[in-house]
Amino acid sequence: MADAARNAQSHKALMGLRSIVLGGEVAPGQRLSEPTLSARLGISRTPLRQAIQQLVEEGLLERVPSGGVRVRALSIVDVVDAIELRGVIEGTAARLAAERGAPVADLRACRSVADEIDIALGQSAADVDFERYAALNDRFHDLVNGLCGSEMVMREYQRITALPMARPSAFLQAQAAMSEIRQSLFGAQEQHRAVLQAIEAREGSRAEAICREHARLAHANLKAVLDARRSVQDTVPGLSLVSDTGRVGGG
């Protein structure tokens, strides 16, 4: 029971602190006050410090030379690089899955989720169930990456997708409010199907290329979100941490 209580407190601390940071309640560069956060979240200092360390490792917080931590300010280039790295990792995972041979049952599970995504998409961009799609999209990516059977690759995937806006479904809430990029979801679903076909056919290079191209859709979505920043600020967790410096895709 004691271990369960500690785990619950640790989870509460991590989720609460991440929500505060990504929600923009603390400005980039601002130091965090442990007493204030402890009282705000209703937790003791020990799980709070563990949560702080986790967010330092994820790149949301950074240590201050004089002591303590502050919210890290991100550049657009940081976000672009994180998305690019996700594409590299997912491409590697898909290639390894194709070359090594993915278990039939696991491929079947991926296709089942893809079928559910079709239902969530509906017949047109106006019919998309974004909440359902977001959950299924993240689930699909997790399953496909797991086909490679590599714990090392999966650890890196989990690490990179913990960064702001690097998760496959990071921009979906903004997409719900932006009709101009809703249609990209249908192209993304075609790529979902294509990568499964490539893995099943043991075409490693093709599977890798599709995943790299798939991640590039997020670059276009990032640019659209930044162009409409004021209207979607509250729908993209972590957007408040990103400065307006840098350029996306040369645009």
Side-chain angles (χ1 to χ4, degrees):
M1 290 296 292
D3 287 342
R6 280 195 295 270
N7 289 337
Q9 285 291 296
S10 295
H11 181 75
K12 179 181 178 181
L14 182 58
M15 294 300 101
L17 183 58
R18 185 181 282 129
S19 177
I20 288 172
V21 173
L22 293 180
E25 295 184 43
V26 184
Q30 184 176 340
R31 288 198 188 201
L32 298 183
S33 165
E34 286 191 14
T36 300
L37 288 172
S38 181
R40 161 77 185 278
L41 297 173
I43 55 175
S44 65
R45 294 287 189 91
T46 297
L48 176 60
R49 286 169 180 165
Q50 292 171 343
I52 287 173
Q53 179 57 33
Q54 178 66 36
L55 293 195
V56 168
E57 293 174 4
E58 291 180 7
L60 293 176
L61 303 177
E62 60 186 0
R63 298 287 178 186
V64 179
S66 58
V69 294
R70 64 190 172 200
V71 176
R72 183 183 171 205
L74 301 174
S75 69
I76 294 174
V77 173
D78 289 331
V79 180
V80 169
D81 289 349
I83 293 171
E84 186 69 20
L85 280 173
R86 174 167 66 83
V88 171
I89 293 168
E90 290 193 307
T92 299
R95 176 174 55 79
L96 291 176
E99 292 174 351
R100 296 172 178 178
V104 174
D106 293 345
L107 278 168
R108 187 181 302 116
C110 291
R111 285 194 293 270
S112 177
V113 174
D115 290 342
E116 292 186 67
I117 289 176
D118 282 336
I119 297 172
L121 283 173
Q123 298 300 311
S124 70
D127 300 326
V128 178
D129 181 343
F130 279 90
E131 184 175 351
R132 182 65 177 149
Y133 180 93
L136 289 169
N137 186 53
D138 280 340
R139 176 66 176 156
F140 180 84
H141 280 257
D142 290 345
L143 286 174
V144 171
N145 286 311
L147 293 175
C148 68
S150 170
E151 292 184 5
M152 182 176 294
V153 171
M154 287 305 294
R155 278 198 303 270
E156 290 306 303
Y157 171 71
Q158 290 162 2
R159 185 182 65 81
I160 198 66
T161 53
L163 297 175
M165 288 164 283
R167 189 76 181 160
S169 296
F171 301 112
L172 283 178
Q173 286 180 291
Q175 285 174 304
M178 301 175 66
S179 59
E180 66 270 27
I181 56 175
R182 279 173 173 246
Q183 197 61 40
S184 69
L185 301 182
F186 292 86
Q189 175 68 342
E190 291 179 3
Q191 291 176 332
H192 288 162
R193 295 288 189 183
V195 75
L196 286 180
Q197 292 172 355
I199 291 172
E200 191 167 20
R202 308 291 291 270
E203 298 173 345
S205 295
R206 178 168 171 255
E208 182 171 25
I210 293 169
C211 283
R212 294 291 298 272
E213 189 63 31
H214 186 65
R216 291 192 179 102
L217 285 176
H219 287 304
N221 290 342
L222 171 63
K223 186 176 187 304
V225 164
L226 291 172
D227 288 344
R229 183 175 189 134
R230 289 185 179 180
S231 63
V232 300
Q233 180 79 35
D234 296 333
T235 68
V236 181
L239 186 58
S240 62
L241 306 182
V242 182
S243 70
D244 290 320
T245 59
R247 304 174 69 184
V248 182

